[in-house]
Amino acid sequence: MYNFEFEKPGSVADAIAALGTEDAQALGGGQTLIPTLKQRLAQPSKLVSLKGIAEMQGVCTGDDGAICIGGATNHATVASEAGGYPALAATAAHIGDPAVRNRGTIGGSLANNDPSACYPAAALGSGATIVTNTREIAADDYFQGMFTTALDEGEIITEVRFPVPEKANYQKFVQPASRFALVGVFIAKYADGVRVAITGASNDGVFRWAEAEAALSSNFSPDAIDGLSLSGDDMISDLHGTGDYRAHLCGVMTKRAVAAAA
Amino acid sequence: MPKDGGIGASSKRREDVRFLTGAGNYTDDINMHGQAYVHFLRSDIAHGTITNIDTSAAAGMPGVVRIFTGSDFEGVGGMPCGWQVTDKHGQPMQEPAHPILAQGKVRHVGEPIAAVVADTLEQARDAAEAIVLDIDELPAVVDMKDALQDGATKVHDDLNDNLCYDWGFVEENKDAVNKAFEDAAHVTSLELVNNRLVANPMEPRVAVGDYARGTDESTLYTTSQNPHVIRLLMGAFVLGIPEHKLRVVAPDVGGGFGTKIFHYQEEAFCTFAAKACNRPVKWTSSRSEAFISDAHGRDHVTKIELALDADNNFTAIRTETHANMGAYLSTFAPSVPTWLHGTLMAGNYKTPLIYVNVKAVFTNTVPVDAYRGAGRPEATFQLERVVDKAARELGVDPIALRRQNFITEFPYATPVAVEYDTGDYHGTMDKLEEMGDFEGFAARRAESEKNGKLRGLGVNCYIEACGIAPSNLVGQLGARAGLYESATVRVNATGGLVVMTGSHSHGQGHETSFAQVVAEMIGIDENMVEIVHGDTANTPMGMGTYGSRSIAVGGSAMVRATEKIINKAKKIASHLLEASEADIELKDGAFSVAGTDKSVAWGDVTLAAYVPHNYPLEDIEPGLEETAFYDPSNFTYPSGAYACEVEVDPDTGKVTIERFAAADDFGNIVNPMIVTGQVHGGLAQGIGQALLENCAYDENGQLLSASFMDYAMPRADDLPMFDVDHSSQTPCTHNPLGVKGCGEAGAIGSPPAVVNAVVDALQSAGKDVTHIDMPLSPDRVWAAMNG
Ligand SMILES: Cc1cc2nc3c(=O)[nH]c(=O)nc-3n(C[C@H](O)[C@H](O)[C@H](O)COP(=O)(O)OP(=O)(O)OC[C@H]3O[C@@H](n4cnc5c(N)ncnc54)[C@H](O)[C@@H]3O)c2cc1C
């Protein structure tokens, strides 16, 4: 690890000011960033911890019924307090291990946009709104490929708003070593249609499976997926599975998510 | 009634109190006054010529004490290999030089090139980044068969080729074996891979070198399974320090699994640098470094053939194995695919003719050496897979086929040079059938089917050779060391005992089980016995712990030393009791005169030994301390039968283990709870190999599974509740405790059970799958089902 300055501001405004320093970087739970620093793969001048900002903590319900989660809220808190959106709470409950869930934050996870992470599927599958210190970004505009998002330099996620669906479910088929998603499928059924977001599979990061959404919007049952398939060509191919295998799992996990949706 | 102490009691592991309360003393807990830290600059390419190393800028960085490169070690010995294998033509293996820091060339990712010693670790790392290093990349040799092609790039320019040795065993039997295959009624053949593994003990390796200028004494604190072996190898072959000026301490060690047997460059470096810098020098491996510098395990590619006659009797076995040595010969690497593998190819069966061919190959990968089981898992896996495949081809019950071919008479001399002293293979199989509830399997399979799952049952046997090893025998086989074990028993004046053993405990619980043995022999409380190990300064020369040898060889040395103690104590007692020595009996910690009520307590005798006022000084010396060295006359042969039941999810290929039963014969048992724990751990590692662990390189020699993000270790929820039994006991006939050893059994016996079960599950669904290479990860199983 290289040396860096450390600040732990108490407000979003102070955090933004602190992040104004050249090469300053926000620190959420550190579950991705700290290992990166230990490997000397990053050299920020300053880390600005977001954990001391009260307005970025906790789970609440908005006037429109949406579940709103502070950007620095850890996964364990979401797992225990987002009961108003059970599929979201369950998703958080299966991220990493207890240590990771007690440190890692939703803002950090969405900012990082790991192609195998779980929250991106939940956010995209729910059509969530990513709220930052300057604007509100629709999930459909936010995810822009592996480790790439709509966030600008120094912009931080202060809150994430999830409209609560009629039914939803997340099926995670774990990569045996990391236990991130080898393929994870988040489906949510809203009055105006079904959304299907898939993580772990694509070289372009989390994506929506349009054919499955159309099929499920007219017939919300596992059979609706029969005959649909994704191509393995653009899928991740690695030690843990070929692109074809991942493409196959997308179908299997989507069916299972529909069957389990509640 | 379970005993509450002594041999056979499930005494709680006394060492766990310190381990579980954070009071252990691991090597990384050792910090010396004025200590400096070393960071190794390691190669990030697999094969290349070093054209330039410029350390001048780095040397001027803050905190840097000194920077070492290969040129600092010219004239210093390289890393020695402890075993010389003779090939099938009678020629010695090819043995390349193995430098402490790379000399001119790098040969695997992770090879240390330079070492920066600095006041702090971060300063050492900073300076390492400032070293200017130019390497001309050469093609990497990764695949073993490619490595043996004519014109293949050579890993070592000064060797003839990449073949370390071509070993034939037993070469004289080759023609007879070939003839048996010509005459066979049925031949089953199978090609398989025994996957490369990374041991990954919880505690990474650590070394602290210290040098006392006043006395010219060097001390190395290290994470080792055998400090005396390290002292001998490093002192005599690498650094030229006589044993009386070199102390090696391996304090609490957090797991070894074989990979901490070997003498590593970092140990020699820290010892050397402590003297060169006149400061203690410490190295603590990061987990990332461990993946590319700890010796890996397994990595065999094998073709095995089994010949049967018309009555399904096994008539011959023929194997051809390529065994990966990696880029250099690790300490015991050559012995693993030969003497620890070929000699086990008879397994539990009376196959009369066996021929084993092993080609050991150099590649641009991390050195490969012993890992829990070492050679014996590789033998068991291929044999038990081919037997299973034969049963399926012949349409006979796999258990019946095994039983039909079991060795039933002992001692039994195999055609592969070893003699099994005892065993009861039907006995363990009977036990397994009881535990496994095989009658209930059909119903369980039907239940799984209802849930859309395929259920399979896999059974196998294993035999292993433990209690390593008779020194004269291994000497003939190329070992450059003896394999006895030692113990010194020191009785203190007030009756307590300190037992100093050359064995080492790195999780096995020796401090508990060894104390049980000595306490039982004298008839005193276990807590009166302290076990000391791990420090060459206060233990007799011993060979350490691996190969399930500690209770069988180390325990036997302890028994012999304790017998000497008891004999002398009886002489003292006979003097105190004024009785003939022949009439003295020792029971429950007291000496009595047979047929009388005269007795003297253990503590009175020990006190007399050190306060010899009333003492037979004319006949015996004062004091009560004895040493024994024990050299076994044979290996021990634990055996067993294992059963695994799996469910396969046909949609995803995911395998889950639903039941696992292990019926072992370890001979006599000192502490049943510890034995059960050893089997559990072994099963976890064997199942890890079978389902999860995959040490993979790409074609450029880059390690793909270089962290826990990609290398899957077994976790508790990957494993079922194990059903473990060791009530089948045929005591070893040639050691005083009748013990055989249990440390490796689980890792040896479990992989074939898992693979047999998965093949059974897939075939039950009509899939034409006869084999899948480990690990049976979901993608591989799915591909096999849909391929
Ligand atoms: C062992 C292990 C297992 C894991 N398993 C899973 C899993 O199964 N599924 C899964 O989804 N994830 C998994 N993770 C990742 C974990 O969920 C973390 O949430 C994730 O690493 C990032 O969150 P963090 O709060 O730790 O962010 P940090 O590591 O602190 O930061 C990550 C990045 O986000 C930036 N950042 C942090 N907070 C904000 C913010 N509010 N606004 C803008 N930028 C911000 C940082 O500057 C940095 O670039 C695992 C991690 C580990 C270590």
Side-chain angles (χ1 to χ4, degrees), chain A residues 1-2 40 177 240 245 248, chain B residues 122 126 129 651-652 710 715:
Chain A
M1 206 179 273
Y2 301 105
R40 296 189 158 211
H240 308 285
Y245 179 61
H248 164 77
Chain B
E122 291 302 318
D126 287 342
E129 287 177 3
D651 293 333
T652 63
D710 286 300
R715 297 177 223 194

Side-chain angles (χ1 to χ4, degrees), chain B residues 29-48:
Chain B
D29 293 323
I30 294 171
N31 291 297
M32 316 290 292
H33 182 69
Q35 156 183 302
Y37 296 80
V38 57
H39 175 76
F40 291 96
L41 176 65
R42 295 179 185 276
S43 180
D44 56 8
I45 66 170
H47 194 194

Side-chain angles (χ1 to χ4, degrees), chain B residues 24 80 141 149 186 246-247 258 279 290 325 327 343 365 409 458 475 592 686 700 709 734 736 768-769:
Chain B
V141 181
Q149 296 293 320
H186 183 86
L246 178 59
R247 174 180 169 209
R279 269 177 86 167
M325 294 287 102
T343 49
T365 62
E409 280 165 29
S592 55
N700 299 317
M709 294 303 274
H734 57 80
D768 181 24
V769 175

Side-chain angles (χ1 to χ4, degrees), chain B residues 14 488-500 515 518-519 522-532 562 565-566 569 589 591 601-610 623-626:
Chain B
R14 53 171 73 174
T488 295
V489 177
R490 176 180 298 159
V491 185
N492 292 322
T494 60
L497 284 86
V498 182
V499 179
M500 289 149 278
V518 175
I522 301 174
I524 52 175
D525 191 276
E526 278 162 45
N527 293 320
M528 290 174 69
V529 183
E530 191 70 22
I531 304 296
V532 171
T562 307
I565 293 284
I566 291 171
F591 295 92
W602 169 252
D604 293 329
V605 172
T606 61
L607 192 63
Y610 291 95
L624 205 47
E625 174 166 328
E626 299 287 351

Side-chain angles (χ1 to χ4, degrees), chain B residues 756-768:
Chain B
N756 290 347
V758 173
V759 170
D760 182 55
L762 300 192
Q763 292 200 355
S764 77
K767 301 284 178 190
D768 181 24

